[in-house]
Amino acid sequence: MSAVIDNIGLHGHDHADHGAPHGWRRWLYATNHKDIGTMYLMFSLTMLMIGGLLAMLIRTELFEPGLQFVNPELFNQLTTMHGLIMVFGAIMPAFVGFANWMIPLQIGAPDMAFARMNNLSFWLLPPAGLMLAATFFVPGGAPAAGWTLYAPLTMQMGMSLDMAIFALHIMGASSIMGSINIIVTILNLRAPGMTLMKMPLFTWTWLITAYLLIAVMPVFAGAITMTLTDRHFGTSFFNPAGGGDPVMYQHVFWFFGHPEVYIMILPAFGIISQIIPAFARKRLFGYTSMVYATASIAILSFIVWAHHMFTTGMPVTGQLFFMYATMLIAVPTGVKIFNWTATMWRGSMTFETPMLWAVGFIFVFTMGGFTGIVCAVAPIDIQIQDTYYIVAHFHYVLVAGSLFAMFGGFYYWCPKWTGVMADETRGKIHFWGSLIFFNLAFFPMHFLGLAGMPRRYADYPLQFADFNMIVSLGAFGFGLMQVYFVFFVVIPAMRGRGVKAPQSPWDGAEGLEWSVPSPAPFHTFETPPKLNAAATQVIA
């Protein structure tokens, strides 16, 4: 622990478990940020397994040419639901779970600002997730319009699409409530002496992400509501027969969809920015530039949406604008990667499991970033539009980006959550298995895409057979590693099996969360911690 803290008010920790309810009431009526954070993480892990199962079915069908197991319609349902469940059910709730658990601990707050709204924002998710998953069992099957729900396909879907729209509305309401809660908590409940520029970077990235969510979730709600009225109430927003324009849906959707991509990666940047200084045993290089880079990415994300639409007949002037704006986003992202690398430079590095995930994240996320710059070039993008190159690119950013950072965050904060250290050997098996199988699954997709294999097809010609077999084997391996993670890492840690964790288990870790016992008591910071005036952005 660094000496920059002066009299860290730990009052209230000895009797911290008083008033903790027991049994099912504890979870149903939960207003404690730690319990709600745990429920978010459990929900997202469940949805990750369901979404992963759909991915396994997709790759089983694509293992060989020809139609083996599913018909093309069911195949499209699987791809659509895999995307929706992973984005709205797994990645986003997981980051909200991290925020609930860690933000009050990092800023010295006793809890989230609106505890009951926090409870409601979580309990909206299970019925919404259930409704989304249940679309497979209604007449006509699940939505098959792709996870982007493009018109005119959405005009032709059955009742399952209405269920999906309703589920997405509920999930969106949950996101907006969670974001308001996070913003108010960060702006109003920081410990005395913790200025904005002294906050841990995870808290900073979530503050910016919460503003993004509030700005774009209503836009998405508008797009799917217009789809609903086109389907049932005689409007013609996207229906050409009534003078509507399907391309307008793409504009509205991607105005939400591109900031959404950054909503799913900015908290990951925050987690990595906590882990790397801890295991390099150095202060984060360029803290201020990291904050400004995060804000720049958020602002630029609003002016790049149409790079998803280069093939829709956009005028050349529009193509040039969106091409240059997209390339500009590479600058603040590059600043982050440079700062992480500079933090590691000449640090006293050790490679415990969280650090492995962080370094693995930088490696694979950078690859995803480079393929993104390739996609930004309009003439190239027109060639690779809707091919497996795009599938490879966004999985490198979202799986290797968001998911790898989450795993790193789990191993890093697991001692604080559970009171035991996650098993190092099993963690390393999980990491190396995931890294190898991930690259085996998604790297060959770049070549499939460059060779012209379109995505969302249940069948393909013989010349793509070898690479598809490799991709499917990699995907099966990657899926198995996550099952291994659940049964051999998560469940033992939750049951308290393992080495008991000290209060601050990592040598170089700084921050208020390491000033409370492990596991963190039910109530923390009932008396606000007093920060020394000399404290820098990472306290404790």
Side-chain angles (χ1 to χ4, degrees):
M1 302 284 283
S2 136
V4 292
I5 214 150
D6 172 23
N7 176 19
I8 179 113
L10 287 182
H11 326 303
H13 296 328
D14 339 320
H15 59 284
D17 279 322
H18 70 79
H22 296 287
W24 59 269
R25 285 182 182 81
R26 171 175 179 174
W27 304 102
L28 184 62
Y29 302 132
T31 50
N32 185 284
H33 72 97
K34 302 177 187 73
D35 285 352
I36 293 172
T38 302
M39 291 195 295
Y40 265 110
L41 291 167
M42 288 293 100
F43 172 80
S44 69
L45 190 60
T46 306
M47 294 302 271
L48 183 77
M49 292 296 122
I50 295 170
L53 181 65
L54 302 183
M56 295 302 100
L57 293 171
I58 291 167
R59 286 318 314 176
T60 304
E61 176 55 54
L62 293 173
F63 189 77
E64 287 180 336
L67 293 175
Q68 274 81 237
F69 302 101
V70 300
N71 61 34
E73 191 174 8
L74 179 56
F75 184 85
N76 283 340
Q77 293 173 20
L78 292 172
T79 54
T80 302
M81 295 303 292
H82 167 71
L84 288 172
I85 286 171
M86 287 304 202
V87 169
F88 297 103
I91 302 290
M92 290 172 67
F95 278 135
V96 180
F98 274 94
N100 263 293
W101 243 107
M102 299 316 303
I103 287 173
L105 288 180
Q106 289 193 331
I107 64 173
D111 208 307
M112 298 294 280
F114 304 119
R116 286 187 177 82
M117 186 168 85
N118 206 11
N119 174 284
L120 177 61
S121 68
F122 170 75
W123 281 111
L124 286 175
L125 287 178
L130 203 60
M131 193 187 305
L132 197 56
T135 54
F136 277 109
F137 305 106
V138 301
W147 80 274
T148 50
L149 303 177
Y150 273 7
L153 281 172
T154 46
M155 302 301 126
Q156 302 155 19
M157 296 285 115
M159 65 182 282
S160 63
L161 190 78
D162 305 320
M163 285 173 67
I165 287 173
F166 191 30
L168 293 171
H169 268 302
I170 296 170
M171 287 173 158
S174 166
S175 292
I176 290 169
M177 284 195 284
S179 301
I180 292 168
N181 214 345
I182 286 165
I183 290 169
V184 175
T185 303
I186 293 171
L187 295 185
N188 290 343
L189 297 185
R190 298 192 308 280
M194 181 176 283
T195 61
L196 285 175
M197 294 309 281
K198 289 178 182 175
M199 294 195 309
L201 257 168
F202 177 69
T203 303
W204 250 120
T205 53
W206 243 116
L207 178 63
I208 291 166
T209 302
Y211 277 112
L212 273 182
L213 270 164
I214 289 173
V216 301
M217 286 312 289
V219 177
F220 181 52
I224 56 180
T225 304
M226 287 191 277
T227 301
L228 202 62
T229 60
D230 273 12
R231 284 167 55 80
H232 297 293
F233 300 106
T235 58
S236 293
F237 293 111
F238 312 130
N239 187 355
D245 186 359
V247 175
M248 184 171 84
Y249 177 86
Q250 295 189 30
H251 278 290
V252 181
F253 177 85
W254 285 116
F255 188 80
F256 147 80
H258 207 80
E260 166 69 13
V261 172
Y262 292 100
I263 286 163
M264 292 189 282
I265 199 67
L266 290 182
F269 290 164
I271 292 172
I272 299 305
S273 301
Q274 302 290 138
I275 295 172
I276 285 177
F279 295 95
R281 289 161 182 81
K282 279 174 65 185
R283 281 279 160 78
L284 182 71
F285 180 89
Y287 170 88
T288 309
S289 64
M290 288 291 255
V291 172
Y292 285 121
T294 308
S296 307
I297 289 171
I299 292 161
L300 288 171
S301 74
F302 283 101
I303 59 164
V304 298
W305 78 89
H307 68 204
H308 296 269
M309 300 169 57
F310 285 146
T311 55
T312 56
M314 190 188 301
V316 174
T317 318
Q319 290 189 8
L320 284 171
F321 171 81
F322 287 107
M323 184 164 91
Y324 295 144
T326 306
M327 289 182 166
L328 198 57
I329 269 197
V331 176
T333 312
V335 167
K336 287 181 169 297
I337 290 165
F338 172 81
N339 285 8
W340 290 325
T341 314
T343 305
M344 291 190 282
W345 176 251
R346 304 189 72 177
S348 306
M349 286 205 291
T350 52
F351 291 95
E352 288 90 341
T353 312
M355 186 61 163
L356 285 177
W357 284 106
V359 175
F361 166 92
I362 294 174
F363 170 65
V364 281
F365 177 77
T366 305
M367 287 172 66
F370 279 131
T371 55
I373 294 172
V374 171
C375 298
V377 183
I380 300 176
D381 184 80
I382 287 165
Q383 295 299 313
I384 57 178
Q385 171 82 11
D386 275 334
T387 68
Y388 267 75
Y389 190 92
I390 304 295
V391 179
H393 159 66
F394 72 67
H395 280 87
Y396 263 87
V397 174
L398 279 184
V399 181
S402 302
L403 199 63
F404 275 31
M406 283 183 211
F407 287 142
F410 169 81
Y411 287 102
Y412 182 58
W413 284 311
C414 177
K416 198 53 62 188
W417 296 348
T418 63
V420 295
M421 306 293 290
D423 189 285
E424 272 295 306
T425 309
R426 291 175 181 181
K428 284 175 176 163
I429 291 169
H430 178 216
F431 169 73
W432 286 111
S434 294
L435 185 72
I436 291 162
F437 284 125
F438 170 80
N439 283 290
L440 196 63
F442 292 104
F443 198 74
M445 285 187 184
H446 293 102
F447 302 115
L448 285 169
L450 290 170
M453 180 172 167
R455 62 180 176 175
R456 299 182 185 167
Y457 275 57
D459 195 7
Y460 52 86
L462 199 57
Q463 68 259 35
F464 300 136
D466 292 348
F467 270 169
N468 265 299
M469 189 175 283
I470 293 168
V471 167
S472 288
L473 289 170
F476 296 147
F478 186 73
L480 282 172
M481 291 318 300
Q482 309 330 312
V483 174
Y484 175 87
F485 169 66
V486 170
F487 285 100
F488 293 96
V489 181
V490 175
I491 292 174
M494 286 177 67
R495 288 180 173 169
R497 291 180 187 163
V499 180
K500 188 156 172 34
Q503 181 169 301
S504 183
W506 315 114
D507 283 353
E510 297 185 320
L512 284 178
E513 69 261 41
W514 305 112
S515 68
V516 301
S518 300
F522 192 70
H523 295 293
T524 42
F525 301 121
E526 291 178 342
T527 305
K530 298 185 183 72
L531 307 184
N532 186 320
T536 52
Q537 81 281 3
V538 191
I539 330 275

